[in-house]
């Protein structure tokens, strides 16, 4: 029996024998009742109004509540359930359907109560209020549709043809994983601190990054799931290369591929050495070349700090990008020491100050002396003995050159080598002077260990090789007798 509300234009006195019946769909009805005499009576009338009521859709909700799901079979928001209530005062709904459309309103899926395999469970109880459930697993024609925003539309029609105002809303179907990046300490290559900061960024096409999984290992067999954040404090495991791995999980459970970044943890201080001019002892110029050797466990070298003072006074130091050699300037004569500190790329500074020294000798040998036969005035031989002395307070006398000409170009020129002595005295025996009588001069110059040439020193002697060539003797002044 269909329930219809109506208004009678006639007040009937007596007892109701049976229900109200209608003849077709006209405004005609009859009422059977028992009159006061106890007789069954039928009264027909047509002056009444039939009122059909429109069904309504209410209490629409989703699971997930925001209608965002991911049919990727990970047991997390794999299906969308749409719950709603149908209310109809005068009849129960006859046709219930949920339609799924894409953004341009192409029909993607129809979920109807009267389908052979109903996806909507709406039991027909004869009541005027029915709770319904529609479930969509993201398919269309047996295939999962692409990630996108979709539109659902709930339609209800009762047997009298009255239709509810459709209820519509949006659905986000997301099977696209998020993507992102990971940096350790903003991409630094090195650190000397065990605790670092992970700089994290991620995006998602249809929902948003909700969680992240961090691990020390690339297979993510260990680690933990955390709420997504732009930074995260992290403790490195060991010296050397440390790699951190991350995956992102969006709101509906899609998991990204793995991302990673590495950093070198180096808490060690660099060590090394410095030499000047390849460990030369002397130099005749203030411009030298420093040679560095440096050792560090994990980190490359970044710079070297060089100074001519052990205190590294600010205005007397220079910092240079590290290389194996460095041109360097010294000042003045004497022993010069260069001091060095090494800095690696993480900023570790060598605890030891390394140094090397060299003697700068810009001054020629400054004392010299030569004498012939101990300063004799005469000699009756062309072969003499030379007494020679010289001094050089820096690199020392290394050589002397002797000749009978000041140009040092005769065939008798001779060079003598010494052991870089700072004070030198020697004799040169059997030195042959220029031939013949007369004054003979010998010249000498000294060369120090770095090649500085002294002034020319000399001494002279008179060579007399001729016997007296006139002579006279008389007895008693030439007297004939005595």
């Amino acid at each position: 029996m269909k329930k219809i509300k109506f208004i009678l234009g006639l007040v009937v006195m007596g007892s109701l024998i049976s229900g109200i019946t209608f003849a077709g769909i006209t405004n005609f009805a009859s009422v059977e009742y028992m009159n006061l005499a106890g007789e069954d009576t039928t009264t027909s009338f047509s002056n009444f109004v039939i009122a059909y009521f429109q069904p309504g859709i209410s209490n629409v909700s989703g699971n997930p509540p925001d209608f965002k799901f991911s049919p990727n079979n990970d047991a997390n928001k794999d299906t969308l359930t749409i719950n709603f209530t149908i209310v109809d005062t005068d009849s129960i709904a006859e046709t219930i359907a949920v339609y799924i459309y894409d953004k341009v309103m192409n029909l993607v899926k129809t979920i109807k109560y009267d389908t052979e395999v109903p996806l909507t469970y709406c039991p027909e109880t004869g009541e005027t209020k029915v709770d319904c459930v529609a479930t969509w697993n993201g398919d269309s024609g047996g295939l999962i549709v692409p990630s996108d925003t979709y539109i659902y539309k709930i339609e209800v029609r009762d047997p009298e043809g009255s239709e509810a105002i459709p209820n519509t809303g949006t659905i986000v179907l997301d099977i696209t994983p998020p993507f992102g990046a990971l940096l350790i300490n903003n991409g630094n290559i090195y650190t000397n601190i065990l605790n670092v900061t992970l700089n994290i960024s991620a995006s998602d096409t249809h929902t948003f990054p909700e969680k992240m999984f961090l691990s020390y290992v690339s297979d993510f067999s260990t680690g933990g799931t955390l709420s997504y954040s732009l930074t995260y404090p992290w403790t490195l495991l060991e010296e050397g290369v440390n790699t951190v791995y991350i995956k992102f999980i969006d709101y509906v459970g899609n998991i990204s591929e793995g991302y990673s970044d590495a950093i070198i943890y180096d808490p060690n201080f660099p060590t090394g050495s410095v030499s000047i001019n390849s460990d030369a002892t002397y130099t005749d110029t203030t411009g030298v070349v420093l040679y560095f050797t440096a050792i560090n466990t994990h980190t490359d070298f970044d710079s070297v700090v060089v100074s001519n003072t052990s205190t590294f006074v600010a205005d007397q130091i220079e910092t240079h990008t590290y290389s194996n050699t460095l041109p360097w300037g010294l000042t003045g004569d004497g022993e010069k020491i260069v001091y060095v500190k090494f800095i690696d790329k993480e900023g570790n500074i060598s605890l030891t100050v390394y140094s090397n020294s060299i003697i700068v000798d810009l001054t020629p040998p400054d004392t010299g002396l030569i004498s012939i036969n101990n300063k004799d005035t005469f000699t009756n031989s062309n072969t003499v003995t030379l007494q020679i002395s010289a001094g050089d307070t820096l690199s020392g006398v290394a050589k002397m050159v002797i000749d009978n000409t000041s140009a040092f170009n005769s065939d008798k020129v001779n060079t003598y080598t010494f052991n870089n002595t700072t004070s030198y005295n020697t004799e040169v025996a059997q030195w042959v002077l220029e031939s013949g009588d007369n004054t003979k001069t010998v010249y000498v110059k000294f060369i120090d260990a770095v090649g500085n040439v002294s002034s020319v020193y000399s001494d002279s002697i008179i060579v007399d090789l001729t016997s007296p060539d006139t002579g006279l003797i008389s007895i008693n002044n030439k007297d004939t007798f005595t």
Side-chain angles (χ1 to χ4, degrees):
M1 178 70 69
K2 295 178 180 178
K3 296 180 179 180
I4 301 175
K5 183 178 180 181
F6 62 92
I7 300 174
L8 292 175
L10 173 67
V11 176
V12 179
M13 303 298 294
S15 301
L16 179 65
I17 296 177
S18 63
I20 302 172
T21 61
F22 294 88
I25 58 173
T26 63
N27 287 356
F28 174 84
S30 63
V31 177
E32 294 179 357
Y33 62 95
M34 183 179 294
N35 59 21
L36 295 176
E39 299 172 339
D40 291 338
T41 304
T42 299
T43 300
S44 298
F45 52 90
S46 59
N47 294 325
F48 61 89
V49 177
I50 299 175
Y52 296 98
F53 288 85
Q54 182 183 37
I57 303 168
S58 62
N59 300 327
V60 179
S61 64
N63 186 17
D66 53 6
F67 294 83
K68 296 177 180 178
F69 76 114
S70 175
N72 55 11
N73 295 319
D74 65 351
N76 179 26
K77 301 178 182 176
D78 281 337
T79 59
L80 172 67
T81 299
I82 302 175
N83 304 284
F84 55 97
T85 299
I86 299 172
V87 179
D88 195 343
T89 302
D90 56 358
S91 63
I92 188 63
E94 183 178 64
T95 303
I96 303 170
V98 178
Y99 301 99
I100 309 295
Y101 300 91
D102 62 20
K103 288 188 294 188
V104 293
M105 299 307 294
N106 293 313
L107 183 62
V108 173
K109 183 75 173 181
T110 300
I111 307 170
K112 297 182 68 174
Y113 172 72
D114 56 358
T115 54
E116 293 182 3
V117 185
L119 295 179
T120 301
Y121 176 67
C122 293
E124 188 171 6
T125 62
E127 299 177 352
T128 60
K129 180 179 179 181
V130 178
D131 293 324
C132 301
V133 178
T135 301
W136 185 36
N137 64 1
D139 73 310
S140 178
L143 300 176
I144 299 299
V145 298
S147 299
D148 208 342
T149 298
Y150 294 86
I151 299 169
Y152 71 83
K153 183 179 181 181
I154 304 173
E155 293 186 357
V156 177
R157 184 173 58 251
D158 66 12
E160 289 74 33
S162 295
E163 295 183 356
I165 297 174
N167 183 281
T168 61
T170 57
I171 299 169
V172 175
L173 185 150
D174 182 9
I175 56 174
T176 304
F179 54 92
L182 170 67
L183 293 175
I184 305 174
N185 282 1
N186 288 312
N188 287 346
I189 300 174
Y190 307 98
T191 180
N192 58 1
I193 301 174
L194 199 62
N195 295 317
V196 297
T197 298
L198 305 184
N199 307 104
I200 301 163
S201 62
S203 299
D204 193 74
T205 306
H206 300 286
T207 57
F208 56 89
E210 184 182 44
K211 299 176 182 178
M212 57 189 182
F213 190 94
L214 288 168
S215 178
Y216 289 104
V217 293
S218 59
D219 63 0
F220 294 89
S221 57
T222 62
T225 301
L226 306 163
S227 296
Y228 174 75
S229 63
L230 296 177
T231 60
Y232 190 77
W234 190 258
T235 301
L236 303 177
L237 287 177
E238 57 192 0
E239 286 187 23
V241 178
N242 286 256
T243 304
V244 181
Y245 301 88
I246 192 169
K247 286 184 177 181
F248 301 105
I249 306 169
D250 67 16
Y251 171 73
V252 293
N254 295 306
I255 302 174
S256 74
E257 62 179 89
Y259 299 89
S260 66
D261 192 30
I263 196 168
I264 298 173
Y265 170 51
D266 182 9
N268 303 305
F269 298 97
T271 59
S273 64
V274 58
S275 68
I276 305 173
N277 285 1
S278 297
D279 279 330
T281 304
Y282 308 100
T283 179
D284 63 345
T285 177
T286 55
V288 295
V289 177
L290 306 182
Y291 294 84
F292 303 117
T293 58
I295 301 171
N296 205 27
T297 308
H298 304 290
T299 310
D300 292 335
F301 286 92
D302 180 76
S303 54
V304 57
V305 181
V306 185
S307 176
N308 288 330
T309 64
S310 60
T311 55
F312 288 84
V313 179
D315 60 352
Q316 299 181 35
I317 66 172
E318 292 184 15
T319 302
H320 295 267
T321 300
Y322 179 81
S323 65
N324 292 328
T325 61
L326 176 69
W328 186 252
L330 305 173
T331 57
D333 271 334
E335 183 182 34
K336 305 298 175 181
I337 303 176
V338 178
Y339 303 88
V340 172
K341 293 180 181 179
F342 299 103
I343 304 174
D344 65 21
K345 288 189 177 296
E346 192 41 50
N348 297 313
I349 302 175
S350 56
L351 297 177
T352 301
V353 175
Y354 300 91
S355 64
N356 195 242
S357 64
I358 195 169
I359 295 174
V360 178
D361 186 359
L362 307 177
T363 305
D366 51 3
T367 59
L369 179 66
I370 181 171
S371 68
I372 305 172
N373 288 352
N374 292 311
K375 288 295 185 179
D376 284 349
T377 305
F378 301 98
T379 181
N380 61 358
S381 173
N382 286 104
T383 301
V384 296
T385 297
L386 307 178
Q387 290 78 38
I388 298 172
S389 64
D392 187 278
T393 57
L394 295 173
S395 61
V397 179
K399 297 177 182 180
M400 69 178 180
V401 183
I402 305 173
D403 198 9
N404 290 328
T405 67
S406 61
F408 295 89
N409 59 2
S410 78
D411 57 356
K412 290 186 173 61
V413 67
N414 203 346
T415 300
Y416 299 82
T417 301
F418 308 125
N419 189 24
N420 299 356
T421 180
T422 58
S423 180
Y424 181 75
N425 292 278
T426 189
E427 280 192 348
V428 177
Q430 302 298 312
W431 180 260
V432 179
L433 302 172
E434 290 293 322
S435 60
D437 286 335
N438 218 328
T439 300
K440 306 298 179 182
T441 303
V442 179
Y443 302 89
V444 65
K445 60 183 177 180
F446 304 99
I447 304 171
D448 65 18
V450 295
N452 296 312
V453 181
S454 72
S455 301
V456 177
Y457 301 89
S458 65
D459 194 27
S460 298
I461 196 169
I462 298 172
V463 176
D464 185 1
L465 304 176
T466 304
S467 301
D469 53 0
T470 58
L472 177 67
I473 187 172
S474 69
I475 301 172
N476 289 344
N477 292 317
K478 291 292 186 176
D479 286 347
T480 303
F481 302 101
T482 179

